[in-house]
Amino acid sequence: MVDAVQITDAAFFESPIIFMEPVPKSSVQLHNGLLGGGNLWNAKGDRPSFGYTDREAQRLREYVINRGGFIYMPTHGNTEAAMQPAMRVLRQILPEYHLTTIPQDHEIYNSFYELSGPLRFPVRKIGSTILHHGPYRQLQGVFVDDRLAILVDTEAMMHVMDGAVQKPFFGHYQDRNRILDEFAPAAARQLINVIIYAVTHGNISDYSNYIPASALVDGEIESAPKRLPNAASRL
């Protein structure tokens, strides 16, 4: 069973961040090459014209461009094959925007934890099987009016977290589970930065005045907002 957000959900536009995950077609029920019920992203289809309906694509555009939503897309590397599902989605919903490299000093690396830049997926291959494709480099994204609106995480930090819980390696490669366990806290810090950035930018949630508790301890209480963010009234 695949638990996925529906594009047609009434609350779709109220989500400050959406996680898009490639889903193999064998694990879900397809209808005319699309995920049944309008799920967000399927990596494979039965026909070359596979994609969203016009209404679905328009709702995704509305979410990203006008509502200020944020989309997180993990990929297993940055080779052409690894990036193909993400590029297919971006070409359909945002053809006029270009995927670019996120600068090393971008705010997303310092929105909560101070990181020196993106992390590197710790397990690149198992025997002759490549798990993560392509050389390491900075992450990629789509900017809308100087706001990072879509993050393509070519180092798949979310999969580090998954692996730390699921323990996917066995036999001679069980020690790779320990690597994921040790790396998981660092991956969590990067994902927390992503989430904090998403909820403090755009128009869906009003946390633009968010100040970490550690900053208050350091004596910045005078600069703290005097009222709760508007988004808090909806909690």
Side-chain angles (χ1 to χ4, degrees):
M1 178 178 179
V2 175
D3 184 15
V5 174
Q6 307 294 313
I7 298 175
T8 54
D9 282 354
F12 178 73
F13 290 136
E14 298 179 8
S15 302
I17 182 170
I18 295 294
F19 289 81
M20 280 187 168
E21 175 71 8
V23 181
K25 69 176 183 178
S26 60
S27 65
V28 293
Q29 181 179 0
L30 290 173
H31 177 66
N32 292 331
L34 290 170
L35 283 171
N39 292 295
L40 274 179
W41 179 7
N42 181 34
K44 299 180 180 179
D46 292 332
R47 52 191 170 86
S49 59
F50 166 78
Y52 297 112
T53 65
D54 290 343
R55 180 171 180 267
E56 290 169 343
Q58 185 57 43
R59 283 178 68 84
L60 283 168
R61 286 179 57 83
E62 173 71 15
Y63 173 77
V64 172
I65 298 174
N66 298 326
R67 303 298 180 100
F70 184 95
I71 294 178
Y72 171 92
M73 297 182 180
T75 67
H76 283 288
N78 53 30
T79 62
E80 182 177 354
M83 293 289 291
Q84 187 176 10
M87 295 303 298
R88 182 189 297 120
V89 171
L90 295 176
R91 280 195 298 267
Q92 184 178 11
I93 66 174
L94 297 172
E96 72 274 37
Y97 291 90
H98 301 288
L99 190 65
T100 61
T101 298
I102 299 174
Q104 196 84 3
D105 59 352
H106 189 269
E107 182 183 350
I108 202 166
Y109 299 125
N110 297 282
S111 59
F112 189 86
Y113 293 103
E114 293 187 6
L115 307 178
S116 59
L119 301 173
R120 186 174 189 267
F121 194 80
V123 183
R124 312 302 283 192
K125 61 185 297 186
I126 293 294
S128 60
T129 301
I130 298 177
L131 300 179
H132 215 80
H133 302 265
Y136 167 75
R137 65 180 183 185
Q138 291 173 314
L139 305 185
Q140 300 182 46
V142 173
F143 288 83
V144 176
D145 296 332
D146 297 325
R147 174 181 65 89
L148 179 60
I150 298 178
L151 170 64
V152 179
D153 185 358
T154 56
E155 295 299 313
M157 287 301 104
M158 189 166 70
H159 293 163
V160 175
M161 302 296 296
D162 290 342
V165 174
Q166 297 170 0
K167 304 293 189 292
F169 303 115
F170 56 91
H172 295 297
Y173 303 109
Q174 286 185 0
D175 63 320
R176 271 61 170 189
N177 292 323
R178 179 178 53 80
I179 294 175
L180 294 180
D181 285 341
E182 294 175 351
F183 199 79
R189 286 191 288 271
Q190 181 160 303
L191 288 175
I192 288 171
N193 274 20
V194 170
I195 293 171
I196 293 297
Y197 181 88
V199 301
T200 55
H201 294 73
N203 304 320
I204 294 179
S205 57
D206 180 19
Y207 285 95
S208 57
N209 291 323
Y210 169 80
I211 298 178
S214 59
L216 301 181
V217 173
D218 292 337
E220 297 182 16
I221 188 64
E222 293 301 322
S223 63
K226 301 300 186 292
R227 62 179 180 83
L228 291 174
N230 292 337
S233 63
R234 301 198 300 269
L235 298 178

